[in-house]
Amino acid sequence: MKIYAVRHGQTIFNMLDKVQGWADTPLTKKGEQDGTAAGKRLKNISFDVALSSDTSRAIHTAEFILSENSHKRPQLTYTPDWREFFFGSFEGGKNTVMWGATAKALGIDSETPDDVARQVDMTQIMDTIYAVDPDHLGENATDFWQRMRQSLAKLQQDYDENATVLLVTHGQLIWNLAQQYGHLKTADRPKNGAVAVFNLDKDGNFSVDDFNDVTTIF
């Protein structure tokens, strides 16, 4: 199974540098352009399956992508399986606050996610975000990885092993998959509208062909 995983287009919270996991804000004009641009780069791919998370930003990005496709378009299915990591009480706050608190707890002098992720793996980062959240409201790493294992298994259960899948989802989620399963340890957070190409075989083996790609015409 080949999975073209696309991060949604820019949203209002992205523009304001606010934490956005299960919280949802609309696409900006640039976000709409991100979706259209990704669609033009993927227009030659014949998708058997089209999936997105159930957030409006992912659904609308998927619609922009599919509207550019040159082939028969599968019906879009959206599901909470592919939601972003849930950041708990940090949702809607400034990214610098959450990442600063996380970095401080890890002994890292930075407030940016890319800097933190170059020094600590995603599992530890997610557990630390949960730990420094005063309300412990979000997901921890165990919760998130259990959801991802179930979501990947559902892909294998529901679709042919040779299917070509469009999956419109979220930056942290795509980043986590690339690091955890694709062993892409040095990857930065995907840009809005960036494409990652993953392979998932019948035995559950997961690999990365491409990541954070905003230029290739596929």
Side-chain angles (χ1 to χ4, degrees):
M1 186 179 298
K2 189 170 289 290
I3 304 167
Y4 291 82
V6 184
R7 185 186 177 197
H8 62 80
Q10 185 195 64
T11 67
I12 292 172
F13 270 10
N14 292 154
M15 184 177 65
L16 297 174
D17 196 27
K18 290 182 178 291
V19 178
Q20 185 176 226
W22 287 14
D24 196 22
T25 58
L27 297 178
T28 61
K29 287 296 183 185
K30 180 187 178 301
E32 294 175 359
Q33 293 165 3
D34 292 334
T36 298
K40 288 178 177 177
R41 294 191 299 112
L42 291 166
K43 70 178 182 179
N44 297 320
I45 304 296
S46 179
F47 292 111
D48 302 301
V49 179
L51 299 172
S52 80
S53 88
D54 63 348
T55 60
S56 68
R57 62 192 188 270
I59 293 169
H60 291 151
T61 300
E63 290 171 343
F64 281 114
I65 292 170
L66 290 170
S67 71
E68 298 292 332
N69 199 263
S70 300
H71 301 274
K72 183 179 179 181
R73 301 163 195 166
Q75 182 174 351
L76 177 64
T77 299
Y78 50 89
T79 168
D81 294 351
W82 295 104
R83 282 184 189 177
E84 179 62 289
F85 177 70
F86 182 26
F87 295 102
S89 67
F90 290 115
E91 298 268 350
K94 294 294 287 184
N95 270 306
T96 51
V97 172
M98 181 183 76
W99 286 102
T102 301
K104 182 178 179 181
L106 292 167
I108 298 169
D109 185 19
S110 177
E111 292 181 343
T112 68
D114 287 347
D115 286 345
V116 175
R118 290 188 188 106
Q119 300 182 57
V120 181
D121 68 45
M122 289 299 182
T123 293
Q124 190 173 356
I125 288 170
M126 288 187 286
D127 277 339
T128 305
I129 290 171
Y130 179 81
V132 298
D133 174 2
D135 295 323
H136 304 301
L137 185 63
E139 291 180 294
N140 59 26
T142 298
D143 296 331
F144 178 82
W145 290 126
Q146 181 178 2
R147 177 159 65 89
M148 287 301 96
R149 284 192 297 272
Q150 291 171 344
S151 298
L152 290 169
K154 194 170 190 301
L155 281 182
Q156 292 178 287
Q157 174 185 317
D158 290 353
Y159 305 110
D160 185 88
E161 64 184 80
N162 297 312
T164 300
V165 178
L166 171 66
L167 173 62
V168 182
T169 181
H170 303 275
Q172 181 87 25
L173 185 151
I174 294 170
W175 203 15
N176 287 358
L177 290 179
Q179 282 209 2
Q180 179 79 2
Y181 296 126
H183 308 295
L184 205 64
K185 299 300 184 187
T186 60
D188 288 344
R189 187 184 192 86
K191 299 179 177 71
N192 291 111
V195 178
V197 183
F198 299 146
N199 294 293
L200 179 65
D201 71 17
K202 63 181 180 180
D203 298 317
N205 298 309
F206 187 99
S207 61
V208 181
D209 284 350
D210 201 356
F211 187 76
N212 201 14
D213 191 323
V214 292
T215 58
T216 299
I217 297 174
F218 292 90

